[in-house]
Structure formats: structure tokens, C-alpha cells
Amino acid sequence: MTDTVFFDLDNTILDFNKAERMALSRTLEALGIPPTEGVCARYSAINLAQWKLLEKGLISRREVKLGRFGLLFKELGVDASPEQAAAAYESLLGIGHYFMEGAQELLLELRGRYRLYLVTNGTAAVQHGRLKSADLPKYFEDIFISEEIGFNKPDVRYFERCFERIPDFKKEKAVIVGDSLSSDIQGGVNAGLRTVWFHLAGAAGVPQGTAGGGDVPVPDWEIQRLSELPGLLERI
Ligand SMILES: [Mg+2]
């Protein structure tokens, strides 16, 4: 039986990709760099690589924030300030929010039936802005932002700090739902939680031939639409 659900935020409840594209385009425009599809794609690739380094504990959050713009500008041969870009980008990101399909309906349905918690690796200032603008705090018992916790998913210490703040917490009655294998599913595995991988149809998934091997964690369950979750939670 399940009584507690941990939700990832970005690309699980809120459409981060869309918010990121908007904030990035406006930031680049303000710096006089045309936000072409190619430039935005390079930023996304660089950003993802920087986050993976953070998840592995190899670089700091500040290095991610500045490094992703610094590396992009270097690659483009542009003389622009990463600090200025990072500040503009963060303030723009804190303003907008877009829901993933079915996310609001899902939260309305689950609220009151389960204890819901948010577990997110974002930056505190940005995440608080987006949560408030999306009116999300009302659905959750508590919100755990990694910058405030002091560790990032998938570090087991991140989850231990969260568990400490939940009254009468029983791991075996909890489940984590998220779109990222490396932070949500790996984090769940590390912390001893059951895992549900939200894997949108058509999104990149487990590379062929590596499932169950190498360093790719295997989720307990997989859903392609958020509307599949209430039925699954009743069964597990
Ligand atoms: Mg996510």
C-alpha cells in the first residue's frame, strides 16, 4: 500500500523545456545573440552535461549556472558576460510556468488521498518563484529544494534529510515519480524507494542494450502519461 508520493518538478509536473526555451531566447536576445535553433540546442546540450557533472558531485551549482553560458559564449566566439546572462536567465525563468499535460488534474485527484512531496534539484530562488506562480505549494505537504537541503538528487543524503522532515515516514509505503533516470530513479534506488519513471512517448529513454546493465538504473514501473499514475498507485 502506498501513502506517500515524491514528485519530481521539472518535466514531471512543470514543462521545464518550454520555460527554458522562453527564458533562454529572451536572455540571448538581450545580449544581442540571435536565439537560433542551433544556438539553443547547443545551450541545452552544454547545460545537460553540466547538470550531470553536478549530479556526480564534480562541480558546484554556481559553476553550472555560469559555466553553461561561459562555454556557450566561448563556442560561439561571443564576448558576453556569463554572470549577466545567468542573472537575466534566472529572473526570466522564475516568472513563467507551463504545466505538463494532465499535471494539474493529477494533483487535484491525488491530493487528500496521498501525502504529496516535491523533490527538486533546482535553484531555490528560481524554484520558489515558479512554484508560487504555478500555485503549486497548496498540493504538497512539503517541498524539498536541493539547494536548501544541502545535497542533490540522487545523493542518498538528500533523501535522508527529506525523510527526517516527514512525520511517521515509512519507506516501504513511499514511491518516487520522475522523468530522470539519473536523478529521480537512481535517487530512489539509492534511498530504498520504489520508483516510477515518467517516460513521455517519443522521449529519449534507456539506450538499447544497456537496460539493467552499466550505470543505468531500472525503474520498478514506467508510465507514459500522468493519467496512468492514479490507477498504478492504487495497485502498489
Ligand atoms: Mg525532472
Side-chain angles (χ1 to χ4, degrees):
M1 202 200 91
T2 302
D3 69 6
T4 301
V5 185
F6 293 98
F7 274 106
D8 168 52
L9 179 65
D10 286 315
N11 292 335
T12 298
I13 299 294
L14 293 183
D15 188 336
F16 182 75
N17 292 344
K18 198 168 174 183
E20 181 187 48
R21 274 195 302 276
M22 294 291 293
L24 179 65
S25 294
R26 289 185 194 164
T27 299
L28 295 175
E29 275 167 3
L31 293 167
I33 303 166
T36 63
E37 221 163 275
V39 169
C40 293
R42 277 310 298 152
Y43 170 86
S44 290
I46 292 168
N47 182 42
L48 191 64
Q50 294 281 292
W51 275 103
K52 297 282 176 207
L53 293 176
L54 178 79
E55 283 171 9
K56 288 179 183 158
L58 296 175
I59 59 174
S60 71
R61 184 170 297 277
R62 185 174 160 75
E63 286 172 311
V64 173
K65 289 190 211 173
L66 297 178
R68 55 194 179 185
F69 285 108
L71 290 167
L72 178 71
F73 296 159
K74 198 172 167 194
E75 205 175 288
L76 296 174
V78 175
D79 182 24
S81 153
E83 284 83 2
Q84 203 185 330
Y89 174 76
E90 286 211 356
S91 70
L92 286 164
L93 203 54
I95 297 168
H97 71 267
Y98 309 91
F99 280 96
M100 296 296 284
E101 192 189 333
Q104 277 173 296
E105 294 83 348
L106 175 74
L107 293 173
L108 274 170
E109 188 174 347
L110 298 185
R111 180 170 63 164
R113 288 166 61 185
Y114 301 92
R115 297 193 296 177
L116 308 181
Y117 293 88
L118 257 187
V119 284
T120 172
N121 266 1
T123 303
V126 172
Q127 296 304 56
H128 281 302
R130 297 171 64 232
L131 290 167
K132 199 172 162 211
S133 116
D135 199 19
L136 276 173
K138 67 181 179 190
Y139 296 108
F140 296 95
E141 308 287 324
D142 210 341
I143 289 165
F144 303 121
I145 301 175
S146 65
E147 190 175 39
E148 292 172 342
I149 297 286
F151 298 100
N152 299 295
K153 295 181 288 184
D155 192 323
V156 69
R157 291 170 293 181
Y158 169 84
F159 290 94
E160 283 165 356
R161 298 277 174 99
C162 300
F163 297 165
E164 280 168 13
R165 283 169 50 179
I166 302 175
D168 302 318
F169 177 68
K170 290 197 176 58
K171 230 182 236 189
E172 59 277 13
K173 289 189 174 179
V175 64
I176 182 169
V177 182
D179 70 297
S180 165
L181 286 173
S182 60
S183 67
D184 306 318
I185 305 308
Q186 186 64 56
V189 169
N190 292 349
L193 295 172
R194 294 172 298 159
T195 56
V196 178
W197 186 33
F198 173 41
H199 182 220
L200 276 177
V206 180
Q208 281 292 325
T210 60
D215 55 4
V216 181
V218 180
D220 294 310
W221 298 278
E222 183 177 332
I223 55 172
Q224 294 204 337
R225 285 176 298 276
L226 291 176
S227 59
E228 294 170 45
L229 191 61
L232 174 64
L233 290 177
E234 279 181 22
R235 295 195 302 275
I236 65 176

